[in-house]
Amino acid sequence: MKHDQYRENIAGRADVADTPELVAYYQQLAELKTGALWTVANKIEPWQPKSSSVPVLWRYRDLREHVLRSVELVTPEKAGRRVIYLNNPGRQDVAAAVGWLYSGLQVMHPGEAASAHAHSASALRFIMEGRGAYTIVDGHKMPLEANDFVLTPNGTWHEHGVEADGAPCIWQDGLDIPLVNAMEAGFYKVHPDLRQQITAPVDDSVALWGAAALRPHNLGWDKPYSPLFKYQWGPTYDALCRAAQASDGTPYDDVLMHYTNPVTGGHVMPTIGASMQRLRPGFVGTAHRHTGSFIYQVAKGEGYSIIDGQRFDWRERDIFCVPSWALHEHVNLSQSEDACLFCFNDLPVMQSLSLYYEEALLDNGGHQTILSEGKA
Amino acid sequence: MKHDQYRENIAGRADVADTPELVAYYQQLAELKTGALWTVANKIEPWQPKSSSVPVLWRYRDLREHVLRSVELVTPEKAGRRVIYLNNPGRQDVAAAVGWLYSGLQVMHPGEAASAHAHSASALRFIMEGRGAYTIVDGHKMPLEANDFVLTPNGTWHEHGVEADGAPCIWQDGLDIPLVNAMEAGFYKVHPDLRQQITAPVDDSVALWGAAALRPHNLGWDKPYSPLFKYQWGPTYDALCRAAQASDGTPYDDVLMHYTNPVTGGHVMPTIGASMQRLRPGFVGTAHRHTGSFIYQVAKGEGYSIIDGQRFDWRERDIFCVPSWALHEHVNLSQSEDACLFCFNDLPVMQSLSLYYEEALLDNGGHQTILSEGKA
Amino acid sequence: MKHDQYRENIAGRADVADTPELVAYYQQLAELKTGALWTVANKIEPWQPKSSSVPVLWRYRDLREHVLRSVELVTPEKAGRRVIYLNNPGRQDVAAAVGWLYSGLQVMHPGEAASAHAHSASALRFIMEGRGAYTIVDGHKMPLEANDFVLTPNGTWHEHGVEADGAPCIWQDGLDIPLVNAMEAGFYKVHPDLRQQITAPVDDSVALWGAAALRPHNLGWDKPYSPLFKYQWGPTYDALCRAAQASDGTPYDDVLMHYTNPVTGGHVMPTIGASMQRLRPGFVGTAHRHTGSFIYQVAKGEGYSIIDGQRFDWRERDIFCVPSWALHEHVNLSQSEDACLFCFNDLPVMQSLSLYYEEALLDNGGHQTILSEGKA
Amino acid sequence: MKHDQYRENIAGRADVADTPELVAYYQQLAELKTGALWTVANKIEPWQPKSSSVPVLWRYRDLREHVLRSVELVTPEKAGRRVIYLNNPGRQDVAAAVGWLYSGLQVMHPGEAASAHAHSASALRFIMEGRGAYTIVDGHKMPLEANDFVLTPNGTWHEHGVEADGAPCIWQDGLDIPLVNAMEAGFYKVHPDLRQQITAPVDDSVALWGAAALRPHNLGWDKPYSPLFKYQWGPTYDALCRAAQASDGTPYDDVLMHYTNPVTGGHVMPTIGASMQRLRPGFVGTAHRHTGSFIYQVAKGEGYSIIDGQRFDWRERDIFCVPSWALHEHVNLSQSEDACLFCFNDLPVMQSLSLYYEEALLDNGGHQTILSEGKA
């Protein structure tokens, strides 16, 4: 076995060639459950991040029929949940869509209801189509419509369903399951009754915590996640439109707003952040890169993104990912319609751990050379 | 001079009678700029707070004509601002409405504009009547309507005016001037140009920071006060109505919401907090008391409050105050209409200094005996 | 009565002369418990702070005999505590030494013990002389020696005494009583048994929380004040000496260290901060001024301070105060010995309320012209 | 390929058997870079954590000669650093000692000095033997002795060496390299001059920030890690001895103190925490388990730990690890001498991400049954 495949001939880096004596030594070290740092130093201390995830665009027109077909193939009782998960070619070992983030498309038919459970993973849902979907979180029931964003934070009892008079629903699930597993902190519980009691008026979370810059007097909150569980599309879109009139936006993302925990002003959950951004008609962004893993769903419009030199054309409901430290730039192809991108990410993790780094592309007017067109 | 007027015959309290020897000793101490603690201990260490402010109701129907008359009596140039301030009988030395809070009613005619200034005092405005009022804070202009609440935080350049095509406007000013003077930290500057440049789109503060649980990505904020300067009546009232459907409210205040700094979830300014509460039709509150000084303006409806045994009947635009540790309870007299009370207070101060204490009245079903009807 | 004594002929300031019509109007306003702002605006909105406190130096050689004499004049049972308090000529109405800070010198003889009490005021003690003094805070007993600094935070049961085999002790008390009274939040309780049980090993607070940059694993702490109650002179002085070797200090205060709450790194109590500073031999400071009220005790050495143009010469155990916004500069008169100044102040209040302002004297090489020598 | 190996016959869990139709469907999904959640759900949502790390004890008497031999085998110039790293059998893919923590033993001879570099990984050092070692962090030089603990936080320039008149030194390095790589945020820089300038007095970090509960006035600090870089053994051991007299300690760890950032009272770095604990003579701990990965070095004494049923006997300088959710209990074998365990861990990560869970073993008096004796 070769031990010198990571040599670099640079001062301050390891550059040790294998010799019979050294290889014998390495063998002795291995028996003691140790190794020589210089054989791996250049590998484990890279000059900059190289993500194991690859950029992927999942086209909804490709996925939709397969998602719907799962209803015929498996029962909710047997499957637990009928979900098609996004499996990044570089992250199949951990079933991640990108980095340490899991994502799947879940389908439910009218009258169906999943059983209640709780886990130490944090979860969110973004509604794609259908009518009558709802989520219940710790006894708080919330009806959901297209482009609504809902939290099921770590440790909460939660369950989903579709009202009997609704239409088949599909939504995107986002979770930090891979991260929680990597951190070896995954716990899972099935609700003893399989169903929760609804203990509060429907949508009370929005009624009490969803007002702009107002906090209910008599309610304490000391959980590490937001007491506001549902963020509706209507007011979110309105907010982006208003902000676009008052702000130049950013060169990379035009007008982008983070969903927040109203109690702290910070991220919605300790491990997952989320945002909605609006690219004005004709917006052509420039490129930057940053650490952290990002999953986008197109909530409105069409355009394309260039990610590490690959162009990905997207339209409504398509999903794509940007791996850590990948250069990316977004373009709204329409000169008359805006485009909106929902995003969830591990930005709270990167910030908590002081591992967020960011850098703009300065060459070529801030635009990447397109190396290839991404294929779904 | 008598030195033993505060004696208490209780173990652990001072109980020293004057003697000629002691009085001589006290005289010697005074010459050294000192005194004997036991002569004042029981005075300066009371068993519980006794506010020097008295409860007062200022009836708008009484004040309004006097406020309007100031326009005839003084020019803005001479007066600086035409304001009638509320002068609590117990706090005339510091020109306070209650405790360390100042309040006044300001009038402006169409086309008038006050000169820009800045001070270390924190200020707010609550609009009472008129059309075309506006405030400019650090270059951000905001049109104002009845029941809108606007901040002019400590250190900001600010000025007020009424558009030429408006109608005469009256609003309530609230400031911590007495507190800032007491803390000996009052600074005042007149703007070198007497007028600010408007440097941002009108109402950009609301457009960028006034969305529910959304934070603009590209804007930093590290000031100790809210970047959202204006809180509009419409969404505030809607929020209270929604919250009332999802919550039982509190026995003292029914449904009360604090205006917050969206960046932190906390109070709008470091020294002044504000809230709006809604008493549902027929609401009869019970009594409690707490430290801190509170000034209320009736934004809607009519009812009464009992404050330290005095009943004060109020209707729209009336203003009243609740001194520290005064028992108080609120009643909405209508069985069909709700009543709304705007309030500003020094709660942030009491909380920052760990001096907030609260206590419910337990006797008599939580209701005070009315000792007298308060007279304006 | 004259209403125009505060006129200023400056744009943006009030400049309204009394007229019979106006005076009649003012009278009407007064009947409504109101006033015209322009009659008081220039008074309540000063250009900069003008403290009502005056700089004072209290010489220990003048006070000591009077403090000791109190033992002969009053019993602890009658007096509660035998304390001579410092009574700033500008603050006699609130019995303050400066600003809103109270200070007194307390004496106790061997075998004496004061009864236990609790109050919403925050307190500290700085030991001046004697042997065998101790304080008990919430069941934690702490022996005290000269220059030790001890907290008795708001709400804690506390009592003081001197061991039977000790020597008469004198210490300085520092409290925020005037502030707490001003905020109308003063509560006082006598301990039901007049004495506390000692519930923890002697000096456990120091043993558990007094180690540098180490926190005990199994102890929670959620109080707003430090769990470390005693700060000993020895390690404090050593720390200043070490810091002096590693730092240039500041031009105003040479090497100054703030006592901190080890749980937060912040001030020891929410309303009172404290520091110890060391002026190296020959240190000649320059002048600055800032908001907040400061009381100093000379822990070591001799020198002088110039406060608002008055020179105050001090030596060990002398106490002096610096009012808000007063220019001050310190000088160590010795070329061979250092000088140490203990200080307590309301800096936490000024910072919490965003009212801390600071400014260096730039003229005259940063030195004030001495206008007079302060007299005790 | 089999897709149903994770089936569980429990309500709320996936239990879908492979059929030809399903397998064909799975194949279609794979082509779209997706999968069916129910084929992996039970794997990625475990009932509780099962660490991929195994408990290991590395005996210093086994490792020491190999560490020293590296000096003969490779030059510092070629190797970068001569380090033997601890390679957990379950984590060889990421070169981790346990979980996402790297550790190695580094040796340096008198007169040697490693080149300066910086990386986004956070590092610490714990000195094992020798004389004359030093570390330089951002221009601050610190001499190091046995059992001293030193930080080289993320982003700082740092370098190590041994004075020419010293003796060969061995220390333990601890880093979060595997975590930073997993988070795809690893950056590495070699110092342009290969050596830093020393810009501050030796040990100034200790002089300025290493005093108990004192903070230098004139120094700001806004970094996410501690300004105190070195924690000396002497005062740490003294602190543990004092705390042991004032506290019962905990049933699991006896007296344990966390090294803290004095500016915040929190962990020393955002991703790595550290502690020192003292097991009193005869201490027999009970078992608990918690999430997070922990690496121990025996700083003093001898005893054993039972980790997930394996007994590991340890003495001074031995190193062992406790994987996430592994039951563990510690015993001091001596009835007369105390034992001290240094530990570093990812507790800050688990807490920031709200993934810290803890549970005591309640059965069998809190003691595990020993299943086997761990072999190094």
Side-chain angles (χ1 to χ4, degrees), chain D residues 67-322:
Chain D
V67 172
L68 291 172
R69 197 171 158 229
S70 70
V71 178
E72 304 155 24
L73 292 171
V74 292
T75 64
E77 289 69 32
K78 282 291 183 186
R81 288 146 291 167
R82 285 176 303 211
V83 178
I84 303 312
Y85 70 95
L86 309 180
N87 206 7
N88 194 293
R91 303 294 285 164
Q92 292 178 347
D93 52 336
V94 293
V98 64
W100 299 103
L101 291 172
Y102 162 97
S103 188
L105 300 193
Q106 184 162 179
V107 60
M108 266 198 180
H109 270 212
E112 289 184 351
S115 57
H117 58 214
H119 41 60
S120 53
S122 295
L124 60 85
R125 235 130 251 114
F126 188 76
I127 308 305
M128 300 177 76
E129 64 170 85
R131 200 182 65 247
Y134 63 85
T135 283
I136 308 172
V137 177
D138 278 347
H140 301 266
K141 181 174 177 177
M142 292 162 281
L144 298 166
E145 298 180 17
N147 285 347
D148 282 356
F149 161 54
V150 65
L151 308 181
T152 51
N154 44 326
T156 55
W157 291 113
H158 57 279
E159 59 192 276
H160 316 292
V162 175
E163 305 290 357
D165 60 354
C169 291
I170 298 178
W171 57 78
Q172 181 182 15
D173 292 320
L175 291 103
D176 61 1
I177 285 176
L179 177 69
V180 171
N181 286 335
M183 300 313 300
E184 303 184 333
F187 295 88
Y188 189 92
K189 287 184 297 186
V190 174
H191 196 283
D193 305 326
L194 296 183
R195 288 287 177 283
Q196 298 175 72
Q197 297 295 321
I198 295 175
T199 56
V202 168
D203 261 341
D204 73 314
S205 163
V206 174
L208 293 169
W209 294 102
L214 286 168
R215 178 178 175 152
H217 170 63
N218 53 322
L219 300 177
W221 190 260
D222 60 3
K223 305 268 174 56
Y225 50 79
S226 171
L228 177 62
F229 295 147
K230 184 171 83 166
Y231 301 76
Q232 289 171 285
W233 167 239
T236 303
Y237 181 68
D238 289 349
L240 286 164
C241 292
R242 280 197 307 274
Q245 308 222 301
S247 160
D248 290 336
T250 85
Y252 317 116
D253 291 306
D254 204 2
V255 176
L256 187 153
M257 299 184 98
H258 295 279
Y259 297 98
T260 66
N261 174 345
V263 176
T264 64
H267 291 293
V268 292
M269 297 188 289
T271 51
I272 310 183
S275 60
M276 182 70 82
Q277 76 192 81
R278 180 172 177 264
L279 310 180
R280 283 173 276 204
F283 175 79
V284 177
T286 56
H288 71 156
R289 59 181 173 178
H290 44 67
T291 51
S293 298
F294 290 70
I295 296 176
Y296 292 86
Q297 184 183 133
V298 183
K300 185 170 190 293
E302 54 191 296
Y304 66 88
S305 298
I306 307 172
I307 308 171
D308 264 352
Q310 275 189 283
R311 172 171 164 162
F312 295 90
D313 282 78
W314 40 254
R315 57 193 212 197
E316 207 170 304
R317 297 298 157 229
D318 289 347
I319 295 173
F320 62 93
C321 69
V322 176

Side-chain angles (χ1 to χ4, degrees), chain A residues 88-360:
Chain A
N88 193 294
R91 305 293 284 163
Q92 292 177 349
D93 53 335
V94 294
V98 64
W100 298 103
L101 291 172
Y102 161 96
S103 188
L105 300 193
Q106 183 162 179
V107 60
M108 264 198 181
H109 270 212
E112 289 184 351
S115 56
H117 58 214
H119 41 59
S120 53
S122 295
L124 60 85
R125 234 129 253 115
F126 188 75
I127 309 304
M128 301 177 78
E129 64 170 84
R131 201 183 63 248
Y134 64 86
T135 283
I136 308 172
V137 177
D138 278 347
H140 302 266
K141 181 174 178 177
M142 292 163 281
L144 299 166
E145 298 179 19
N147 284 348
D148 282 356
F149 161 53
V150 65
L151 308 181
T152 49
N154 44 327
T156 56
W157 291 113
H158 57 280
E159 59 191 278
H160 316 293
V162 175
E163 305 289 357
D165 61 352
C169 291
I170 298 179
W171 59 76
Q172 181 182 15
D173 292 320
L175 291 104
D176 60 2
I177 286 176
L179 176 69
V180 172
N181 286 335
M183 300 314 301
E184 303 184 332
F187 294 87
Y188 189 91
K189 286 185 297 184
V190 174
H191 195 284
D193 305 326
L194 297 183
R195 289 285 177 282
Q196 297 175 71
Q197 296 295 321
I198 296 175
T199 56
V202 168
D203 261 342
D204 73 314
S205 163
V206 174
L208 293 169
W209 295 100
L214 286 168
R215 177 177 176 152
H217 169 64
N218 53 321
L219 300 177
W221 191 260
D222 60 2
K223 303 267 172 59
Y225 49 80
S226 171
L228 177 63
F229 295 146
K230 184 170 82 166
Y231 300 77
Q232 289 170 286
W233 168 239
T236 303
Y237 182 68
D238 290 350
L240 286 164
C241 292
R242 280 197 307 273
Q245 308 223 303
S247 159
D248 290 336
T250 85
Y252 316 117
D253 290 306
D254 205 2
V255 176
L256 185 152
M257 299 185 98
H258 295 279
Y259 296 98
T260 65
N261 173 346
V263 176
T264 64
H267 291 293
V268 293
M269 297 188 289
T271 51
I272 310 183
S275 61
M276 183 70 82
Q277 77 191 81
R278 181 173 175 263
L279 310 179
R280 282 173 277 205
F283 175 80
V284 176
T286 56
H288 71 156
R289 59 180 173 180
H290 44 67
T291 51
S293 299
F294 289 69
I295 296 175
Y296 292 86
Q297 184 183 133
V298 183
K300 185 171 189 294
E302 54 191 296
Y304 66 89
S305 299
I306 307 172
I307 308 171
D308 264 353
Q310 274 189 282
R311 172 171 164 162
F312 295 90
D313 282 79
W314 41 253
R315 57 194 213 198
E316 206 171 303
R317 300 296 157 229
D318 288 348
I319 295 172
F320 62 94
C321 69
V322 176
S324 185
W325 210 237
L327 280 165
H328 55 285
E329 55 193 286
H330 306 300
V331 174
N332 179 354
L333 276 172
S334 171
Q335 297 300 320
S336 56
E337 298 297 315
D338 55 9
C340 291
L341 301 176
F342 169 76
C343 176
F344 71 93
N345 52 65
D346 59 4
L347 198 49
V349 177
M350 305 315 284
Q351 292 172 337
S352 290
L353 307 189
S354 288
L355 293 174
Y356 184 74
Y357 294 83
E358 185 176 358
E359 172 178 287

Side-chain angles (χ1 to χ4, degrees), chain B residues 15-61:
Chain B
D15 186 23
V16 178
D18 284 354
T19 64
E21 185 180 29
L22 279 171
V23 170
Y25 176 66
Y26 298 154
Q27 180 54 30
Q28 292 175 312
L29 292 180
E31 285 165 15
L32 294 167
K33 296 172 184 160
T34 61
L37 176 59
W38 59 85
T39 64
V40 296
N42 297 342
K43 174 192 170 202
I44 68 175
E45 298 190 319
W47 296 96
Q48 63 177 40
K50 176 71 197 74
S51 181
S52 65
S53 300
V54 296
V56 180
L57 172 76
W58 290 272
R59 290 199 186 92
Y60 192 54
R61 60 185 177 277

